[in-house]
Amino acid sequence: AQSVTQLGSHVSVSEGALVLLRCNYSSSVPPYLFWYVQYPNQGLQLLLKYTSAATLVKGINGFEAEFKKSETSFHLTKPSAHMSDAAEYFCAVSAGENNNDMRFGAGTRLTVKP
Amino acid sequence: DTEVTQTPKHLVMGMTNKKSLKCEQHMGHRAMYWYKQKAKKPPELMFVYSYEKLSINESVPSRFSPECPNSSLLNLHLHALQPEDSALYLCASSQIEGAREKLFFGSGTQLSVL
């Protein structure tokens, strides 16, 4: 079965600073990887996904992530944090062709300081 | 219309009550999901419906009973719940059931069981 580990339950950055949220995956077959964002009292919204095409994936709101097979990583980055980026971020993995068995990481809470 | 709509947004119920959560989407998606999310935790999959048929049931107690009356609607019937069932219940949909499909989430129903 596949799984993801998010390193750091809480990340704090200053407005304008680089955002780096870490995610490592484990999967016995080529994985599909996702980053979702959750604002307070809301559902999850997809930021970006990797589905075995380009390894550098660009998403919404200026976020991007790079799939690195050698490091089994899929870290999320944004060059310059904005106050509105403060939220909970979840990395998720699923695998196989027909199996829908998405597993979410524990989440990372991003705080942006003025 | 790219929304998944959940009602009610908040629900308080006693352990002897019977209530239902509703979810609706008009994106033509043929897979719909129920997730349970406890505070500060990732979502956990409960049920998956694919083409209105129950596809995955993640060993959920029988006090939770899903129903998919048609391709746009998904219900979750609740009966004799326990206080530990208090959580955010999220509905999601995707084009089809598949590992590479992205999920569209509703805003959830915040359930409190007294």
Side-chain angles (χ1 to χ4, degrees):
Chain A
Q2 60 274 14
S3 66
V4 289
T5 301
Q6 291 184 240
L7 301 175
S9 60
H10 189 197
V11 171
S12 182
V13 300
S14 297
E15 192 174 17
L18 171 72
V19 175
L20 171 61
L21 305 182
R22 298 177 189 273
C23 172
N24 287 90
Y25 70 89
S26 172
S27 178
S28 57
V29 297
Y32 302 115
L33 293 158
F34 306 78
W35 275 101
Y36 284 87
V37 61
Q38 187 175 30
Y39 298 99
N41 304 312
Q42 295 290 320
L44 283 70
Q45 179 185 9
L46 181 72
L47 280 176
L48 49 81
K49 67 175 183 177
Y50 167 77
T51 55
S52 74
T55 56
L56 182 62
V57 182
K58 293 187 185 301
I60 62 171
N61 301 339
F63 284 95
E64 63 180 40
E66 186 171 9
F67 173 73
K68 291 188 177 180
K69 185 177 178 181
S70 60
E71 299 177 9
T72 62
S73 70
F74 190 58
H75 301 331
L76 182 71
T77 60
K78 181 173 180 177
S80 177
H82 192 273
M83 297 297 290
S84 60
D85 294 326
E88 188 84 20
Y89 291 80
F90 292 98
C91 182
V93 62
S94 62
E97 279 300 319
N98 297 315
N99 176 38
N100 195 329
D101 190 18
M102 183 177 287
R103 300 292 177 187
F104 288 88
T108 297
R109 177 163 297 276
L110 176 66
T111 301
V112 182
K113 299 174 290 187
Chain B
D1 184 359
T2 58
E3 283 192 354
V4 175
T5 304
Q6 289 187 245
T7 56
K9 291 195 179 303
H10 302 274
L11 180 61
V12 180
M13 60 186 291
M15 289 189 284
T16 58
N17 290 160
K18 285 186 182 180
K19 296 286 184 184
S20 296
L21 308 185
K22 296 187 184 300
C23 174
E24 191 168 359
Q25 57 86 16
H26 295 287
M27 294 179 279
H29 289 176
R30 302 314 300 270
M32 297 185 75
Y33 312 77
W34 281 115
Y35 281 85
K36 175 183 178 180
Q37 186 179 24
K38 301 284 277 185
K40 301 187 188 304
K41 297 289 187 183
E44 296 176 352
L45 183 65
M46 300 174 73
F47 302 104
V48 180
Y49 272 83
S50 179
Y51 291 90
E52 295 100 73
K53 286 187 170 43
L54 185 62
S55 170
I56 295 175
N57 176 342
E58 291 284 349
S59 302
V60 179
S62 60
R63 57 186 184 268
F64 295 91
S65 175
E67 178 197 18
C68 189
N70 60 55
S71 60
S72 299
L73 294 174
L74 184 66
N75 299 321
L76 185 63
H77 302 299
L78 314 173
H79 174 53
L81 294 194
Q82 302 297 309
E84 60 264 30
D85 296 321
S86 298
L88 180 67
Y89 288 83
L90 292 166
C91 175
S93 70
S94 63
Q95 193 75 29
I96 57 172
E97 183 187 2
R100 59 187 295 146
E101 295 297 316
K102 80 175 200 180
L103 300 178
F104 290 76
F105 282 87
S107 296
T109 294
Q110 188 66 54
L111 175 67
S112 296
V113 182
L114 304 179

